[in-house]
mmCIF file of all heavy atoms in Angstrom:
data_model
loop_
_atom_site.group_PDB
_atom_site.id
_atom_site.type_symbol
_atom_site.label_atom_id
_atom_site.label_comp_id
_atom_site.label_asym_id
_atom_site.label_seq_id
_atom_site.Cartn_x
_atom_site.Cartn_y
_atom_site.Cartn_z
ATOM 1 N N ALA Z 1 6.091 -0.542 7.538
ATOM 2 C CA ALA Z 1 6.513 -0.937 6.195
ATOM 3 C C ALA Z 1 6.105 -2.378 5.896
ATOM 4 O O ALA Z 1 5.579 -2.690 4.828
ATOM 5 C CB ALA Z 1 8.027 -0.759 6.037
ATOM 6 N N TYR Z 2 6.325 -3.249 6.879
ATOM 7 C CA TYR Z 2 5.993 -4.659 6.664
ATOM 8 C C TYR Z 2 4.488 -4.878 6.572
ATOM 9 O O TYR Z 2 4.010 -5.717 5.805
ATOM 10 C CB TYR Z 2 6.582 -5.515 7.781
ATOM 11 C CG TYR Z 2 6.358 -6.996 7.559
ATOM 12 C CD1 TYR Z 2 7.126 -7.706 6.639
ATOM 13 C CD2 TYR Z 2 5.375 -7.672 8.255
ATOM 14 C CE1 TYR Z 2 6.913 -9.045 6.414
ATOM 15 C CE2 TYR Z 2 5.155 -9.021 8.043
ATOM 16 C CZ TYR Z 2 5.933 -9.711 7.126
ATOM 17 O OH TYR Z 2 5.704 -11.038 6.911
ATOM 18 N N SER Z 3 3.722 -4.121 7.351
ATOM 19 C CA SER Z 3 2.266 -4.285 7.326
ATOM 20 C C SER Z 3 1.699 -3.972 5.946
ATOM 21 O O SER Z 3 0.654 -4.502 5.564
ATOM 22 C CB SER Z 3 1.616 -3.376 8.377
ATOM 23 O OG SER Z 3 1.695 -2.019 8.005
ATOM 24 N N ILE Z 4 2.380 -3.125 5.185
ATOM 25 C CA ILE Z 4 1.932 -2.796 3.830
ATOM 26 C C ILE Z 4 2.495 -3.774 2.810
ATOM 27 O O ILE Z 4 1.769 -4.359 2.011
ATOM 28 C CB ILE Z 4 2.342 -1.353 3.455
ATOM 29 C CG1 ILE Z 4 1.705 -0.340 4.419
ATOM 30 C CG2 ILE Z 4 1.961 -1.047 2.011
ATOM 31 C CD1 ILE Z 4 0.197 -0.369 4.446
ATOM 32 N N LEU Z 5 3.798 -4.000 2.834
ATOM 33 C CA LEU Z 5 4.445 -4.802 1.797
ATOM 34 C C LEU Z 5 4.143 -6.288 1.920
ATOM 35 O O LEU Z 5 4.326 -7.041 0.951
ATOM 36 C CB LEU Z 5 5.961 -4.571 1.833
ATOM 37 C CG LEU Z 5 6.424 -3.132 1.574
ATOM 38 C CD1 LEU Z 5 7.940 -3.054 1.569
ATOM 39 C CD2 LEU Z 5 5.867 -2.609 0.257
ATOM 40 N N SER Z 6 3.687 -6.741 3.093
ATOM 41 C CA SER Z 6 3.352 -8.158 3.253
ATOM 42 C C SER Z 6 1.928 -8.463 2.824
ATOM 43 O O SER Z 6 1.535 -9.625 2.732
ATOM 44 C CB SER Z 6 3.546 -8.588 4.715
ATOM 45 O OG SER Z 6 2.658 -7.866 5.568
ATOM 46 N N ASP Z 7 1.141 -7.432 2.575
ATOM 47 C CA ASP Z 7 -0.239 -7.606 2.140
ATOM 48 C C ASP Z 7 -0.292 -7.376 0.626
ATOM 49 O O ASP Z 7 -0.021 -6.271 0.159
ATOM 50 C CB ASP Z 7 -1.140 -6.597 2.865
ATOM 51 C CG ASP Z 7 -2.614 -6.789 2.536
ATOM 52 O OD1 ASP Z 7 -2.955 -6.805 1.335
ATOM 53 O OD2 ASP Z 7 -3.414 -6.902 3.473
ATOM 54 N N PRO Z 8 -0.625 -8.391 -0.164
ATOM 55 C CA PRO Z 8 -0.579 -8.253 -1.633
ATOM 56 C C PRO Z 8 -1.397 -7.084 -2.172
ATOM 57 O O PRO Z 8 -0.947 -6.367 -3.067
ATOM 58 C CB PRO Z 8 -1.142 -9.601 -2.124
ATOM 59 C CG PRO Z 8 -0.845 -10.559 -1.024
ATOM 60 C CD PRO Z 8 -0.994 -9.756 0.252
ATOM 61 N N GLU Z 9 -2.610 -6.868 -1.622
ATOM 62 C CA GLU Z 9 -3.455 -5.785 -2.125
ATOM 63 C C GLU Z 9 -2.860 -4.424 -1.786
ATOM 64 O O GLU Z 9 -2.801 -3.523 -2.623
ATOM 65 C CB GLU Z 9 -4.866 -5.900 -1.548
ATOM 66 C CG GLU Z 9 -5.661 -7.083 -2.106
ATOM 67 C CD GLU Z 9 -7.097 -7.072 -1.643
ATOM 68 O OE1 GLU Z 9 -7.531 -6.038 -1.109
ATOM 69 O OE2 GLU Z 9 -7.779 -8.093 -1.797
ATOM 70 N N LYS Z 10 -2.414 -4.263 -0.514
ATOM 71 C CA LYS Z 10 -1.826 -2.986 -0.116
ATOM 72 C C LYS Z 10 -0.510 -2.740 -0.851
ATOM 73 O O LYS Z 10 -0.207 -1.611 -1.236
ATOM 74 C CB LYS Z 10 -1.607 -2.965 1.397
ATOM 75 C CG LYS Z 10 -2.885 -2.999 2.209
ATOM 76 C CD LYS Z 10 -2.576 -3.078 3.694
ATOM 77 C CE LYS Z 10 -3.859 -3.229 4.517
ATOM 78 N NZ LYS Z 10 -3.580 -3.441 5.944
ATOM 79 N N LYS Z 11 0.263 -3.806 -1.037
ATOM 80 C CA LYS Z 11 1.538 -3.677 -1.758
ATOM 81 C C LYS Z 11 1.294 -3.220 -3.190
ATOM 82 O O LYS Z 11 2.019 -2.370 -3.715
ATOM 83 C CB LYS Z 11 2.280 -5.007 -1.754
ATOM 84 C CG LYS Z 11 3.640 -4.976 -2.447
ATOM 85 C CD LYS Z 11 4.338 -6.324 -2.287
ATOM 86 C CE LYS Z 11 5.705 -6.326 -2.948
ATOM 87 N NZ LYS Z 11 5.614 -6.260 -4.423
ATOM 88 N N GLN Z 12 0.262 -3.772 -3.823
ATOM 89 C CA GLN Z 12 -0.060 -3.375 -5.193
ATOM 90 C C GLN Z 12 -0.437 -1.900 -5.262
ATOM 91 O O GLN Z 12 -0.005 -1.170 -6.154
ATOM 92 C CB GLN Z 12 -1.195 -4.234 -5.732
ATOM 93 C CG GLN Z 12 -1.571 -3.911 -7.179
ATOM 94 C CD GLN Z 12 -2.726 -4.751 -7.683
ATOM 95 O OE1 GLN Z 12 -3.331 -5.495 -6.933
ATOM 96 N NE2 GLN Z 12 -3.039 -4.628 -8.950
ATOM 97 N N ARG Z 13 -1.284 -1.441 -4.287
ATOM 98 C CA ARG Z 13 -1.668 -0.025 -4.266
ATOM 99 C C ARG Z 13 -0.461 0.861 -3.992
ATOM 100 O O ARG Z 13 -0.315 1.934 -4.576
ATOM 101 C CB ARG Z 13 -2.752 0.212 -3.204
ATOM 102 C CG ARG Z 13 -4.090 -0.426 -3.518
ATOM 103 C CD ARG Z 13 -5.230 0.319 -2.839
ATOM 104 N NE ARG Z 13 -5.098 0.394 -1.397
ATOM 105 C CZ ARG Z 13 -5.650 -0.480 -0.556
ATOM 106 N NH1 ARG Z 13 -6.347 -1.497 -1.020
ATOM 107 N NH2 ARG Z 13 -5.506 -0.337 0.746
ATOM 108 N N TYR Z 14 0.442 0.395 -3.088
ATOM 109 C CA TYR Z 14 1.622 1.196 -2.767
ATOM 110 C C TYR Z 14 2.552 1.288 -3.972
ATOM 111 O O TYR Z 14 3.086 2.359 -4.277
ATOM 112 C CB TYR Z 14 2.369 0.586 -1.582
ATOM 113 C CG TYR Z 14 3.623 1.342 -1.217
ATOM 114 C CD1 TYR Z 14 3.546 2.565 -0.560
ATOM 115 C CD2 TYR Z 14 4.881 0.859 -1.558
ATOM 116 C CE1 TYR Z 14 4.686 3.280 -0.250
ATOM 117 C CE2 TYR Z 14 6.031 1.558 -1.250
ATOM 118 C CZ TYR Z 14 5.929 2.772 -0.592
ATOM 119 O OH TYR Z 14 7.055 3.485 -0.294
ATOM 120 N N ASP Z 15 2.756 0.149 -4.676
ATOM 121 C CA ASP Z 15 3.631 0.153 -5.849
ATOM 122 C C ASP Z 15 3.096 1.072 -6.931
ATOM 123 O O ASP Z 15 3.859 1.692 -7.672
ATOM 124 C CB ASP Z 15 3.778 -1.266 -6.408
ATOM 125 C CG ASP Z 15 4.635 -2.153 -5.520
ATOM 126 O OD1 ASP Z 15 5.341 -1.617 -4.651
ATOM 127 O OD2 ASP Z 15 4.588 -3.387 -5.687
ATOM 128 N N GLN Z 16 1.768 1.190 -7.034
ATOM 129 C CA GLN Z 16 1.163 1.997 -8.095
ATOM 130 C C GLN Z 16 1.047 3.467 -7.715
ATOM 131 O O GLN Z 16 1.304 4.354 -8.522
ATOM 132 C CB GLN Z 16 -0.221 1.450 -8.438
ATOM 133 C CG GLN Z 16 -0.869 2.148 -9.634
ATOM 134 C CD GLN Z 16 -2.174 1.504 -10.047
ATOM 135 O OE1 GLN Z 16 -2.640 0.558 -9.417
ATOM 136 N NE2 GLN Z 16 -2.774 2.004 -11.106
ATOM 137 N N PHE Z 17 0.646 3.736 -6.452
ATOM 138 C CA PHE Z 17 0.337 5.112 -6.067
ATOM 139 C C PHE Z 17 1.240 5.680 -4.973
ATOM 140 O O PHE Z 17 1.088 6.831 -4.580
ATOM 141 C CB PHE Z 17 -1.118 5.211 -5.583
ATOM 142 C CG PHE Z 17 -2.120 4.732 -6.591
ATOM 143 C CD1 PHE Z 17 -2.838 3.573 -6.398
ATOM 144 C CD2 PHE Z 17 -2.344 5.438 -7.756
ATOM 145 C CE1 PHE Z 17 -3.757 3.122 -7.326
ATOM 146 C CE2 PHE Z 17 -3.267 5.004 -8.696
ATOM 147 C CZ PHE Z 17 -3.968 3.839 -8.477
ATOM 148 N N GLY Z 18 2.180 4.876 -4.447
ATOM 149 C CA GLY Z 18 3.018 5.359 -3.362
ATOM 150 C C GLY Z 18 2.253 5.407 -2.049
ATOM 151 O O GLY Z 18 1.265 4.695 -1.850
ATOM 152 N N HIS Z 19 2.697 6.272 -1.139
ATOM 153 C CA HIS Z 19 2.067 6.356 0.183
ATOM 154 C C HIS Z 19 0.595 6.730 0.106
ATOM 155 O O HIS Z 19 -0.203 6.315 0.942
ATOM 156 C CB HIS Z 19 2.824 7.364 1.056
ATOM 157 C CG HIS Z 19 4.167 6.879 1.515
ATOM 158 N ND1 HIS Z 19 4.319 5.834 2.391
ATOM 159 C CD2 HIS Z 19 5.419 7.282 1.191
ATOM 160 C CE1 HIS Z 19 5.619 5.624 2.603
ATOM 161 N NE2 HIS Z 19 6.300 6.478 1.886
ATOM 162 N N ALA Z 20 0.229 7.522 -0.910
ATOM 163 C CA ALA Z 20 -1.176 7.922 -1.039
ATOM 164 C C ALA Z 20 -2.087 6.719 -1.249
ATOM 165 O O ALA Z 20 -3.248 6.735 -0.865
ATOM 166 C CB ALA Z 20 -1.341 8.902 -2.203
ATOM 167 N N GLY Z 21 -1.550 5.654 -1.848
ATOM 168 C CA GLY Z 21 -2.362 4.484 -2.121
ATOM 169 C C GLY Z 21 -2.780 3.714 -0.891
ATOM 170 O O GLY Z 21 -3.715 2.921 -0.945
ATOM 171 N N VAL Z 22 -2.067 3.924 0.226
ATOM 172 C CA VAL Z 22 -2.395 3.194 1.454
ATOM 173 C C VAL Z 22 -2.697 4.141 2.608
ATOM 174 O O VAL Z 22 -2.743 3.731 3.763
ATOM 175 C CB VAL Z 22 -1.237 2.245 1.842
ATOM 176 C CG1 VAL Z 22 -1.116 1.112 0.849
ATOM 177 C CG2 VAL Z 22 0.089 2.994 1.939
ATOM 178 N N ASP Z 23 -2.905 5.405 2.268
ATOM 179 C CA ASP Z 23 -3.232 6.400 3.292
ATOM 180 C C ASP Z 23 -4.739 6.614 3.316
ATOM 181 O O ASP Z 23 -5.315 7.088 2.342
ATOM 182 C CB ASP Z 23 -2.519 7.721 2.978
ATOM 183 C CG ASP Z 23 -2.887 8.823 3.963
ATOM 184 O OD1 ASP Z 23 -3.399 8.492 5.052
ATOM 185 O OD2 ASP Z 23 -2.674 10.001 3.651
ATOM 186 N N PRO Z 24 -5.421 6.276 4.418
ATOM 187 C CA PRO Z 24 -6.879 6.444 4.464
ATOM 188 C C PRO Z 24 -7.317 7.886 4.320
ATOM 189 O O PRO Z 24 -8.450 8.160 3.944
ATOM 190 C CB PRO Z 24 -7.260 5.886 5.844
ATOM 191 C CG PRO Z 24 -6.005 5.953 6.650
ATOM 192 C CD PRO Z 24 -4.880 5.743 5.682
ATOM 193 N N ASN Z 25 -6.432 8.833 4.580
ATOM 194 C CA ASN Z 25 -6.788 10.250 4.453
ATOM 195 C C ASN Z 25 -6.562 10.782 3.054
ATOM 196 O O ASN Z 25 -6.882 11.923 2.763
ATOM 197 C CB ASN Z 25 -5.968 11.091 5.451
ATOM 198 C CG ASN Z 25 -6.266 10.712 6.882
ATOM 199 O OD1 ASN Z 25 -7.419 10.504 7.245
ATOM 200 N ND2 ASN Z 25 -5.219 10.605 7.698
ATOM 201 N N ALA Z 26 -5.988 9.950 2.179
ATOM 202 C CA ALA Z 26 -5.702 10.401 0.827
ATOM 203 C C ALA Z 26 -6.707 9.878 -0.177
ATOM 204 O O ALA Z 26 -6.539 10.015 -1.361
ATOM 205 C CB ALA Z 26 -4.298 9.954 0.413
#
């Protein structure tokens, strides 16, 4: 959770698309 939310770019993708936004398989 921290590895995503502490990274501004990943956090932005997660806030917009949820888990799919930071899932390399999605």
Side-chain angles (χ1 to χ4, degrees):
Y2 184 77
S3 71
I4 299 301
L5 299 183
S6 63
D7 184 307
E9 289 187 13
K10 294 176 185 174
K11 181 176 181 291
Q12 182 182 6
R13 292 206 302 266
Y14 178 74
D15 288 345
Q16 186 174 3
F17 303 111
H19 288 293
V22 291
D23 177 18
N25 298 318

